[in-house]
Amino acid sequence: MYGRNELIARYIKLRTGKTRTRKQVSSHIQVLARRKARELQAMCKVSSHIQVLAKRTSREIQKQFKVGQDQSAKDKALQSMAAMSSAQIVSATALQNKAAAAAFGLPPLGVPSAPIRHAYGTAQAPLWQPGLTQAGSSIDIKPCSGAAAHPYAPVTSMVANFYNSIKPFSGAPPQPYAPVASTVGDYATSVTPQSIAPSGEGRSIGTRKLRLVEFQAFLEHQRENDNYSKHLFVHLGSNATYSDHVLEAIDVRQIYDKFPEKKGGLKDLYDKGPPEAFYLVKFWADLNTTLSEDTSAFYGVSSLYESMEDMTISCSTKVCSFGKQVVEKVENEFPRFENNRYMYRINRSPMCEYMINFIHKLKHLPEKYMMNSVLENFTILQVVSNRDTHETLLCIAFVFEVSTSEHGAQHHIYRLVKD
């Protein structure tokens, strides 16, 4: 079992790639608690200031009554004031104190101020910011819906502020990658032998035996005059060089619960190895397109691999929901010798009906944070192996969020390790 601070540390590791101990998390929460206490003290000072203004107003009224009033009228006025509540006194003199209140940046006395927006989950401000879901947490946390304050609201507020202070992958999805010159369909004509070298090792998805060159999931519409329009939901192109950073590492045990645990699941595969064949890809999917029920619409997936060995590969794609396998697709591909290497091209493979329906239902959700809440428990595990020897060549775990960038689909790649 994990404690609160350990769970927060796991979340930070998966979302940002940075390691934080539970003591560091605890220290940060204590800092936030002190900050919250100072905010409450400041609010108390504002309330105290309002009370001072009310007393000052009362004294000014009394002074006015002393000038030009006989003793009987003054006594009557004071008796009337004694019967009034403090709120009535403040309301009665609101117009006289507009200038004084404005000088202190306060609303006029007696006029209700704007409602305080709570940091914890209410109808005014949801607990989790849109686009900041807990993709790496094993707990399914939904946005709070109740309007009443929870007994533990201050603690929830501090934890929410702690999450909000962490920006996924240094503040935003990565900047769009430079366009890849090749596509799955024309790769053979645009790649030279020098463009694929050990320079990409440790910087892209691949091992000495097999490397992923390109991966894309798309929607294609047929238009007039046999013209086609293509929208990429996700796209991954591999053109790494020595100048690129080495991929960050994430402990594979942090995402075990996102995938099947039985034989053939992520844990079982990683135990068999080789460990250098395992990767995690975070996709920001681009859903900024019009989905159509038209039969001319084609939902497909294309991928391209390369190797220096002549073999037949088997590609298994498992769609998982809440860590359980929903559907699996297995494809075998034979090599084609091109540019002094063997290419494996799985081109325009049709999406299954489950995936098409899932995309349509996801698109119909009104808010992006709702989409991300659903995608938090949706993953895909792709395993490429040697069909004859059953050796694992590549194993890629995919997790998803919805892209908010005008540049379309984006991604970030991690190596899976076991520290």
Side-chain angles (χ1 to χ4, degrees):
M1 296 295 293
Y2 292 98
R4 179 196 64 185
N5 297 340
E6 187 68 24
L7 288 173
I8 295 175
R10 288 183 66 198
Y11 175 80
I12 296 172
K13 179 66 176 178
L14 184 62
R15 295 286 297 178
T16 68
K18 298 179 180 178
T19 302
R20 295 290 184 271
T21 66
R22 59 176 180 270
K23 289 186 178 180
Q24 290 174 314
V25 172
S26 176
S27 176
H28 196 91
I29 291 178
Q30 290 175 9
V31 170
L32 292 174
R34 289 193 291 270
R35 183 185 302 169
K36 185 67 177 180
R38 289 194 296 269
E39 291 176 357
L40 292 175
Q41 290 176 1
M43 292 176 63
C44 290
K45 289 181 180 179
V46 172
S47 177
S48 176
H49 189 75
I50 292 176
Q51 293 178 6
V52 170
L53 288 176
K55 292 178 181 178
R56 183 184 303 169
T57 301
S58 177
R59 289 194 299 268
E60 291 175 357
I61 293 176
Q62 292 177 19
K63 186 176 180 180
Q64 290 176 6
F65 281 144
K66 289 179 182 178
V67 179
Q69 297 278 348
D70 57 21
Q71 188 63 34
S72 61
K74 182 171 62 176
D75 292 341
K76 185 177 179 180
L78 291 175
Q79 290 174 3
S80 176
M81 283 186 61
M84 295 173 65
S85 67
S86 60
Q88 289 172 325
I89 293 174
V90 173
S91 298
T93 58
L95 294 177
Q96 298 179 10
N97 288 277
K98 276 186 178 180
F104 290 96
L106 300 172
L109 295 177
V111 179
S113 61
I116 297 175
R117 287 185 172 271
H118 299 279
Y120 49 87
T122 63
Q124 292 87 356
L127 176 60
W128 305 113
Q129 291 182 350
L132 189 57
T133 58
Q134 291 179 290
S137 171
S138 60
I139 304 174
D140 181 22
I141 301 178
K142 303 298 183 184
C144 299
S145 58
H150 194 275
Y152 298 103
V155 177
T156 309
S157 173
M158 286 185 289
V159 176
N161 288 332
F162 180 66
Y163 283 137
N164 294 342
S165 68
I166 302 170
K167 303 300 180 183
F169 307 117
S170 302
Q175 292 301 315
Y177 288 81
V180 180
S182 64
T183 63
V184 175
D186 63 2
Y187 182 80
T189 61
S190 60
V191 174
T192 62
Q194 290 78 13
S195 64
I196 300 172
S199 61
E201 189 172 352
R203 297 169 173 83
S204 62
I205 299 177
T207 65
R208 292 286 182 178
K209 292 189 176 182
L210 188 72
R211 190 170 76 94
L212 175 64
V213 177
E214 190 171 10
F215 177 87
Q216 59 181 233
F218 59 89
L219 167 62
E220 197 172 72
H221 286 286
Q222 183 176 2
R223 296 184 175 179
E224 298 179 359
N225 301 324
D226 292 332
N227 293 326
Y228 290 87
S229 64
K230 188 174 184 178
H231 175 80
L232 295 177
F233 294 118
V234 297
H235 178 255
L236 193 158
S238 181
N239 55 349
T241 64
Y242 280 118
S243 61
D244 294 327
H245 294 291
V246 175
L247 298 180
E248 300 176 62
I250 284 184
D251 195 319
V252 66
R253 290 169 291 192
Q254 295 190 21
I255 60 171
Y256 275 164
D257 55 352
K258 296 289 184 181
F259 299 92
E261 297 180 357
K262 61 182 182 179
K263 184 178 180 180
L266 180 60
K267 183 179 185 302
D268 178 60
L269 289 168
Y270 196 90
D271 290 341
K272 294 178 181 178
E276 64 271 14
F278 289 78
Y279 295 86
L280 171 68
V281 176
K282 172 68 177 289
F283 272 127
W284 284 268
D286 182 10
L287 297 182
N288 189 24
T289 185
T290 302
L291 302 181
S292 174
E293 302 288 347
D294 190 359
T295 55
S296 64
F298 176 75
Y299 294 79
V301 179
S302 294
S303 54
L304 178 65
Y305 306 87
E306 66 170 10
S307 174
M308 301 304 293
E309 299 183 17
D310 182 6
M311 56 186 169
T312 302
I313 64 171
S314 176
C315 182
S316 166
T317 305
K318 298 178 181 179
V319 178
C320 307
S321 178
F322 289 91
K324 305 296 182 182
Q325 178 179 321
V326 178
V327 64
E328 180 182 13
K329 184 177 184 179
V330 179
E331 300 170 285
N332 295 322
E333 185 64 27
F334 298 94
R336 294 177 177 83
F337 190 73
E338 303 171 2
N339 296 321
N340 298 320
R341 58 189 44 79
Y342 295 95
M343 310 303 299
Y344 301 86
R345 185 178 289 104
I346 302 177
N347 194 25
R348 296 175 59 81
S349 176
M351 279 191 195
C352 64
E353 185 178 355
Y354 175 88
M355 278 299 305
I356 297 175
N357 291 335
F358 180 83
I359 293 173
H360 277 265
K361 291 180 179 179
L362 191 68
K363 176 70 173 176
H364 289 157
L365 292 175
E367 300 290 344
K368 280 188 169 58
Y369 78 88
M370 297 180 182
M371 300 180 189
N372 289 331
S373 181
V374 173
L375 290 173
E376 181 180 338
N377 299 295
F378 175 83
T379 55
I380 293 178
L381 185 66
Q382 187 174 79
V383 182
V384 183
S385 59
N386 186 315
R387 189 193 64 174
D388 300 322
T389 64
H390 303 291
E391 176 189 5
T392 300
L393 303 173
L394 282 180
C395 181
I396 310 171
F398 296 103
V399 295
F400 301 87
E401 278 190 21
V402 177
S403 174
T404 58
S405 170
E406 61 183 9
H407 300 291
Q410 296 167 304
H411 67 273
H412 198 95
I413 308 173
Y414 299 87
R415 291 185 300 111
L416 289 177
V417 300
K418 185 181 286 186
D419 296 333

